[in-house]
Amino acid sequence: MHPLIVKDVRKKFRQGDRWIQALAGISLTVEQGNFLAIMGASGSGKSTLLHLMAGLTNPDDGQVLINDTDLSKMNDRQLTLFRRHQIGLIFQAFNLIPTLSAEENLRLPLLLDGTSDEQIVAKSDSLLAQLGLLERRTHRPDALSGGEQQRIAIGRALITDPAVILADEPTGNLDSANSQSVCELLHKLCTEQHRTILMVTHEPSVAVWASEVAILKDGKLVTRFATEGIDAEALAIRYQEALKNN
Ligand code: ADP
Ligand code: MG
């Protein structure tokens, strides 16, 4: 079973009187415990691809399978439930509820789910410890740093043990120190817990934390390679070359 398989997905959008081919046939597989970064310039189709993988948009053509389940075969209700359990979503904006504490935000997906109070407490305590945020549990989002807020959002995405974590520019709103703490956490989730993560970013210093990088250009996947032995500087060069030569 594969956490994520994308088969030849295509998607076009109408902009005024013309059509934009946002995705022009993309296929990829992410193995269990892999951390794949998707890089590409603005407008290359990264967010569209992530939205398709999350079942938030339908492809014009092609398929997305999460744990061997074809998203296109589900109705809206089934998809909503499937997404809640199997897909952890993280965005650039942390999307925390401002009137709830860090801990309450973290627990939200389980409250929707009818999980018992005991299980909720056990799960959220263990997650807060992993996130290094036990002492910040009662703080509201506005009393947390950007990095802490995003780590809570990551915890919220993890709390249902989804098949795959999908993150769209998760460090886009963070300074470099906070960005580093979020990257370290994602890296640790992959190496220590074998979580499966797909992260969109255009920053080589962020992508280098992933185990593999795939580069998109004009809605097509132009290359994919492992980051082993590559530092951020070398990755930046490789990224520029891939965009120039394809
Ligand atoms: P990225 O995330 O790499 O910046 P996107 O996936 O957001 O790129 O967009 C890819 C292309 O599709 C862009 O040209 C964008 O303008 C277009 N696009 C994305 N979403 C829509 C939409 N809902 N309506 C019209 N055009 C869209
Ligand atoms: Mg985007």
Side-chain angles (χ1 to χ4, degrees), residues 30-203:
V30 185
E31 306 286 342
Q32 171 72 45
N34 198 0
F35 180 7
L36 175 67
I38 304 271
M39 298 187 75
S42 172
S44 59
K46 304 182 297 298
S47 292
T48 304
L49 179 61
L50 189 125
H51 291 162
L52 292 185
M53 296 188 292
L56 296 169
T57 327
N58 294 320
D60 300 331
D61 244 316
Q63 286 173 299
V64 175
L65 295 101
I66 308 258
N67 268 357
D68 294 344
T69 303
D70 185 341
L71 299 189
S72 71
K73 300 276 193 294
M74 282 185 269
N75 63 32
D76 283 352
R77 205 185 113 75
Q78 291 169 322
L79 193 56
T80 301
L81 287 176
F82 184 83
R83 202 186 292 120
R84 196 182 293 159
H85 294 124
Q86 298 298 344
I87 302 172
L89 280 173
I90 302 160
F91 295 102
Q92 181 172 339
F94 321 125
N95 299 330
L96 300 178
I97 296 180
T99 52
L100 298 181
S101 69
E103 183 171 64
E104 288 164 338
N105 269 287
L106 188 84
R107 292 172 173 177
L108 267 183
L110 296 184
L111 295 181
L112 292 169
D113 223 33
T115 310
S116 76
D117 288 354
E118 265 172 31
Q119 275 177 303
I120 291 178
V121 171
K123 261 237 145 109
S124 77
D125 281 0
S126 122
L127 259 179
L128 283 164
Q130 288 167 40
L131 300 167
L133 291 171
L134 267 176
E135 274 118 72
R136 317 288 280 160
R137 63 201 299 162
T138 59
H139 290 59
R140 298 251 174 100
D142 64 4
L144 300 171
S145 73
E148 287 170 338
Q149 289 184 61
Q150 190 63 303
R151 272 146 60 206
I152 288 292
I154 292 171
R156 182 183 54 188
L158 283 173
I159 204 161
T160 57
D161 287 320
V164 61
I165 309 275
L166 303 174
D168 193 356
E169 310 263 7
T171 62
N173 276 345
L174 301 176
D175 61 24
S176 61
N178 280 307
S179 172
Q180 164 115 358
S181 78
V182 164
C183 291
E184 275 170 3
L185 173 61
L186 292 171
H187 181 76
K188 192 176 89 169
L189 292 170
C190 161
T191 54
E192 292 178 10
Q193 298 184 10
H194 300 284
R195 304 273 190 175
T196 308
I197 304 173
L198 186 138
M199 171 181 72
V200 162
T201 181
H202 59 268
E203 292 175 71

Side-chain angles (χ1 to χ4, degrees), residues 2-54:
H2 287 88
L4 178 64
I5 300 176
V6 174
K7 288 187 190 166
D8 201 24
V9 289
R10 290 157 199 273
K11 182 78 183 178
K12 57 181 179 319
F13 292 109
R14 205 191 167 93
Q15 288 186 355
D17 54 3
R18 48 189 202 125
W19 287 91
I20 304 282
Q21 191 73 42
L23 298 176
I26 287 190
S27 299
L28 60 86
T29 299
V30 185
E31 306 286 342
Q32 171 72 45
N34 198 0
F35 180 7
L36 175 67
I38 304 271
M39 298 187 75
S42 172
S44 59
K46 304 182 297 298
S47 292
T48 304
L49 179 61
L50 189 125
H51 291 162
L52 292 185
M53 296 188 292

